Amino acid sequence: MEKKIDEKELLELSKKWAMFYPNYINSLRTYAQGRKIAKKDCCDNPTALEIAHIASALKLRFVLERAKLHPRTFMLKPNQVILPGRVRVELWNEKKEPINKTIPTRKAFMEFAGQKIPTLKIRHERIKQVQARLQAQQAAAEKVNTKNSKKGRNKKRGKKGKRR
């Protein structure tokens, strides 16, 4: 039976664990922007929480650090989504043997996560929320545009009466 570990001890232990940023498995990023594996093994805009769910499904210990950013985030274009967070996962024990035999390396974990994240229930819920938010924003923008376009049509323009 494992003894309970407090947060400080866990953070100290996790410094030796494998580190994963969402950019590593994001198919919308380039290698220069931090992607680590082939696009066919990646998924669109994964979150650190989704990577943590994959680690827990594999029964691996992990630490989710929500406030961290990938160092190459500054290279992103303004229209690209910034994905905050980092997950540290214990892939190996102290003897450097893999804890889960199906995931012996970092790359194997990233490929597994890239394949399984699109099937997660929390991902489908997040996508629905994002789509609803976008539709609400578009509807609000259309309302503003129709109001503004009606107001400006009757105004006279230019300096028609002020010619010499």
Side-chain angles (χ1 to χ4, degrees), residues 33-52:
Q33 292 171 335
R35 184 168 43 91
K36 297 273 186 186
I37 56 175
K39 276 190 179 183
K40 66 180 176 72
D41 298 324
C42 294
C43 59
D44 293 349
N45 293 330
T47 63
L49 183 63
E50 292 166 347
I51 296 171

Side-chain angles (χ1 to χ4, degrees), residues 52-92:
H53 274 275
I54 296 298
S56 69
L58 291 169
K59 298 192 179 3
L60 298 170
R61 289 197 303 178
F62 65 91
V63 174
L64 176 62
E65 299 168 313
R66 293 177 185 260
K68 300 293 184 178
L69 279 176
H70 189 271
R72 295 184 187 171
T73 301
F74 73 92
M75 294 174 58
L76 298 179
K77 296 174 184 167
N79 62 345
Q80 290 181 315
V81 179
I82 294 175
L83 300 164
R86 171 173 76 187
V87 182
R88 290 180 183 262
V89 181
E90 184 182 28
L91 294 177
W92 311 283

Side-chain angles (χ1 to χ4, degrees), residues 70-125:
H70 189 271
R72 295 184 187 171
T73 301
F74 73 92
M75 294 174 58
L76 298 179
K77 296 174 184 167
N79 62 345
Q80 290 181 315
V81 179
I82 294 175
L83 300 164
R86 171 173 76 187
V87 182
R88 290 180 183 262
V89 181
E90 184 182 28
L91 294 177
W92 311 283
N93 59 16
E94 271 129 42
K95 297 177 185 176
K96 299 292 182 192
E97 297 169 345
I99 292 172
N100 188 329
K101 302 297 182 200
T102 60
I103 310 292
T105 63
R106 284 182 172 95
K107 186 175 179 181
F109 180 81
M110 289 186 281
E111 289 172 350
F112 183 82
Q115 293 168 358
K116 295 298 179 184
I117 283 175
T119 63
L120 288 176
K121 185 177 179 181
I122 61 165
R123 183 174 180 85
H124 294 295
E125 292 170 1

